[in-house]
Amino acid sequence: MSRVQLRPDPTGHFGAYGGRFVPETLMAPLDELARAYDRFSRKRPFRNRLRALLSDYAGRPTPVYFAERLTEHLGGARIFLKREDLLHTGAHKLNNAIGQALLAQAMGKQRVIAETGAGQHGVASATAAALLGLECCIYMGKEDTVRQHLNVQRMKLLGAEVVAVETGSQTLKDAVNESLRDWVTNVRDTHYILGSVLGPDPYPRMVRDFHRVIGDEAKRQLKRAAKTPLPDIAIACVGGGSNAIGLFTAFLDDRKVRLIGVEAGGRGDGLGEHAARFSGGSLGVLHGTRTYILQDDDGQIASTHSVSAGLDYPAIGPEHALLRDEKRIEYVKATDAEAIAAFHMLAATEGILPALESSHALAHVSKIAPQLPRKHVILVNLSGRGDKDVESVLKWDQEHGDDSSGTGGGGAEPAAAAVAEHPAARKWRSRAPQSESSESSRDQPKTTKGAEA
């Protein structure tokens, strides 16, 4: 039996991590949800309906694409992209949103709620709700509604109510808090579509299962695209960890495949300067699960920073914590500067604007690919498209001039500088408009929190 089938244990724990650390008022709703998921996920009509919607509506399977010009630019290993950015709504989030919305419908719920940081999960949830005729309310930190204004409007156009949360830090963790309060109050007719492999059981395993289609597809597709049964390396960005676990699950039992998760290295190593939970985090409990958390010496949740709204979250999924302990997955980090440079690199070489979340994974690819032989295959989960991040990238370019390596902001690592020196990337930046989008960004927050990955 595979490790995936054995986890979590019956109490919802992944070793020392996970579980249900929630008020008594939430235990009954979680029991109901776990029973419903276990029952309906085994029923053929439910599975067939989900499979049909993912295929005919969402656009699965998404392709595995050989990034030939990127490979030539970096040299070394061949790079293949799992194109989740081509999924309807522009990111992997729809896999889970449709799955949970179908489950809510099967449970007789008429209303769904969701939290969102970068807005991709909110858009996906609003889309699934519109598709199935469910009432929808999205909670989003007020700071994030400013930064991701386009996604706010998309959610509203899809019929969702968007509530700007003004308590606390006005970011994702506060949006999760408000979502939980709503769920406790309205549990009779409401389902909470949590957006990552976080929270109390059954959410980490349920979200993982809805996303494992990513890796299952890629494993089959790579045989045709790369003429090899397995990649040498599979790599994905890690915020909460949904896109990464969706890719990695298919390869966990293939020990020859090296798995790498890339966290947000932000702008420095100090607490509050990054969102890399395995670089300064410690064991704690947040939003109902026990895992690694960025917190101060008093156990207070620390501020985090990333140029990517979807990676800027203080906790990581509990299964990731266990897999890190087991040394099955390596966790590294990429800085803001490296992610921005990788964004430009993919745009210039392949004509693809990646999400800034995915750009962190690409940044690490730029470090390791040149060191590997041509026969090696790197599979990257391109978890989302970068439309939502264009203003953030333009703002960065304006603040740092033509230096996407970020040398004016405390020093960037050599890999990022090398990527930034790609001539097409420099040309792209020199054409970037410096008009009203840059001016309006001055009033936008410099950081937002998110578990959108």
Side-chain angles (χ1 to χ4, degrees), residues 164-309:
V165 178
E166 300 187 19
T167 57
S169 60
Q170 301 182 10
T171 52
L172 180 70
K173 66 182 179 64
D174 309 292
V176 174
N177 291 338
E178 290 303 314
S179 298
L180 289 170
R181 292 189 186 101
D182 185 316
W183 193 30
V184 170
T185 304
N186 301 293
V187 67
R188 187 179 300 274
D189 69 346
T190 297
H191 171 67
Y192 177 18
I193 304 180
L194 201 153
S196 195
V197 287
L198 296 163
D201 181 74
Y203 281 107
R205 62 183 171 95
M206 181 169 65
V207 177
R208 174 198 68 195
D209 293 349
F210 284 137
H211 279 308
R212 69 168 297 163
V213 64
I214 300 171
D216 290 343
E217 283 180 3
K219 200 170 187 178
R220 294 191 301 268
Q221 294 167 321
L222 202 61
K223 292 180 181 179
R224 298 190 298 271
K227 309 303 180 187
T228 181
L230 295 170
D232 295 281
I233 299 173
I235 186 167
C237 64
V238 182
S242 62
N243 94 89
I245 211 70
L247 178 67
F248 295 159
T249 293
F251 300 104
L252 287 176
D253 293 324
D254 298 306
R255 303 294 298 189
K256 292 181 179 180
V257 180
R258 183 181 169 194
L259 305 176
I260 303 176
V262 186
E263 296 187 278
R267 61 195 172 201
D269 294 330
L271 197 63
E273 296 295 301
H274 63 86
R277 287 62 49 97
F278 293 134
S279 298
S282 57
L283 200 57
V285 173
L286 181 64
H287 296 140
T289 196
R290 190 169 189 251
T291 186
Y292 277 89
I293 298 169
L294 290 168
Q295 54 191 333
D296 64 21
D297 292 338
D298 296 322
Q300 298 300 306
I301 304 303
S303 298
T304 54
H305 164 80
S306 173
V307 70
S308 163

Side-chain angles (χ1 to χ4, degrees), residues 264-384:
R267 61 195 172 201
D269 294 330
L271 197 63
E273 296 295 301
H274 63 86
R277 287 62 49 97
F278 293 134
S279 298
S282 57
L283 200 57
V285 173
L286 181 64
H287 296 140
T289 196
R290 190 169 189 251
T291 186
Y292 277 89
I293 298 169
L294 290 168
Q295 54 191 333
D296 64 21
D297 292 338
D298 296 322
Q300 298 300 306
I301 304 303
S303 298
T304 54
H305 164 80
S306 173
V307 70
S308 163
L311 301 185
D312 199 3
Y313 183 71
I316 194 166
E319 188 169 10
H320 282 285
L322 177 59
L323 289 165
R324 185 250 193 174
D325 284 358
E326 294 179 335
K327 297 180 170 37
R328 182 60 191 96
I329 301 178
E330 305 167 41
Y331 293 88
V332 298
K333 59 185 178 180
T335 65
D336 288 352
E338 291 171 327
I340 292 287
F343 178 99
H344 286 299
M345 175 181 68
L346 194 66
T349 59
E350 296 291 344
I352 299 171
L353 299 181
L356 281 176
E357 292 81 16
S358 309
S359 297
H360 284 70
L362 291 165
H364 193 67
V365 169
S366 75
K367 299 177 186 179
I368 62 175
Q371 304 171 22
L372 299 171
R374 176 76 176 188
K375 67 179 182 179
H376 273 52
V377 169
I378 299 177
L379 176 64
V380 187
N381 195 15
L382 199 66
S383 58

